[in-house]
Amino acid sequence: MQPRLDPFTVFMDLRTGLLDPLPVVAERRLGDMRGLYAGEAEPADQLVYRVLSIPVPELNSEIQCSTTILEPGLVGDEYFMTKGHFHAVRDRSEIYIGLAGEGRLLLATEDGRHRLEPLRAGTVNYIPGGWAHRSINVGSDPLVFFAAYVGDAGHDYETIEGRGFPVRVVRGETGPTVVINQRYRR
Ligand code: M6P
Ligand code: ZN
């Protein structure tokens, strides 16, 4: 076969997740996340996270890679988190490698099962196909992780925007606490 791409190397700062050369950066602010938190997601311009993606074609022959830098913070008592998504091609899998900070990886199936996994420096999370995934910063420093996933997976945000995750992670008296999401619809 004729190779589609030439090899390349990107340098990553393993503590901050920053990539050099700096690839495509997507920013998510509270205003982009209306309806996902139980409380009012304000101020709208508050930065919640950045995703630094290494651009490769969205084909199942490729591997998409990105770092996510998720700021610490709260909306009411709910920790800052990513939007969360199923893969548009449902059976596509993904791995996360934790680099810094203290987080949780919340996963859910379409039939309403959920799991909460640790996400911190040194964790390698395997996200099988069919599990929606959202990362949550429960610490006081940025949560940084590297993600790699099948190139044609795509992001289905609508399903999570419509039904939510079965649980939320909130700041309780003794630390991060899992509570039922009252707005969850299966
Ligand atoms: C990880 C990967 C990306 C994802 C990002 C932010 O880097 O899973 O595919 O875009 O986290 O999560 P979300 O897309 O749910 O906002
Ligand atoms: Zn994903």
Side-chain angles (χ1 to χ4, degrees), residues 77-79 104-107 114-117 136 138 165-182:
D77 59 2
E78 191 170 11
Y79 293 105
R104 301 287 185 274
L105 172 60
L106 174 61
L107 305 111
H114 76 274
R115 289 278 296 270
L116 200 62
E117 299 288 331
I136 303 165
V138 302
F165 278 82
V167 297
R168 297 180 183 279
V169 180
V170 301
R171 186 176 62 179
E173 280 175 15
T174 56
T177 305
V178 179
V179 298
I180 297 293
N181 176 11
Q182 303 293 349

Side-chain angles (χ1 to χ4, degrees), residues 85 87 94 133:
H85 59 272
H87 289 151
E94 180 159 0
H133 36 291

Side-chain angles (χ1 to χ4, degrees), residues 6-145:
D6 287 335
F8 61 89
T9 300
V10 174
F11 294 89
M12 175 163 58
D13 182 314
L14 291 175
R15 286 161 302 126
T16 63
L18 291 176
L19 301 172
D20 179 18
L22 190 65
V24 180
V25 182
E27 292 185 343
R28 300 281 190 215
R29 296 174 187 274
L30 282 178
D32 302 316
M33 302 188 71
R34 295 234 163 77
L36 295 173
Y37 294 92
E40 288 295 314
E42 286 176 349
D45 64 354
Q46 168 70 52
L47 178 68
V48 183
Y49 59 103
R50 285 167 290 160
V51 181
L52 285 49
S53 306
I54 298 169
V56 295
E58 294 188 1
L59 302 170
N60 74 353
S61 52
E62 306 299 340
I63 299 170
Q64 304 286 341
C65 295
S66 54
T67 10
T68 300
I69 303 168
L70 174 56
E71 300 299 322
L74 292 164
V75 173
D77 59 2
E78 191 170 11
Y79 293 105
F80 274 14
M81 60 191 186
T82 58
K83 293 176 81 163
H85 59 272
F86 283 96
H87 289 151
V89 183
R90 281 291 191 273
D91 68 355
R92 299 309 198 235
S93 58
E94 180 159 0
I95 59 166
Y96 281 3
I97 301 173
L99 298 176
E102 178 65 26
R104 301 287 185 274
L105 172 60
L106 174 61
L107 305 111
T109 58
E110 288 185 284
D111 63 5
R113 288 185 292 146
H114 76 274
R115 289 278 296 270
L116 200 62
E117 299 288 331
L119 178 53
R120 65 175 73 92
T123 56
V124 179
N125 310 110
Y126 191 81
I127 303 169
W131 287 84
H133 36 291
R134 162 181 286 168
S135 45
I136 303 165
N137 188 346
V138 302
S140 42
D141 298 311
L143 175 69
V144 185
F145 62 92

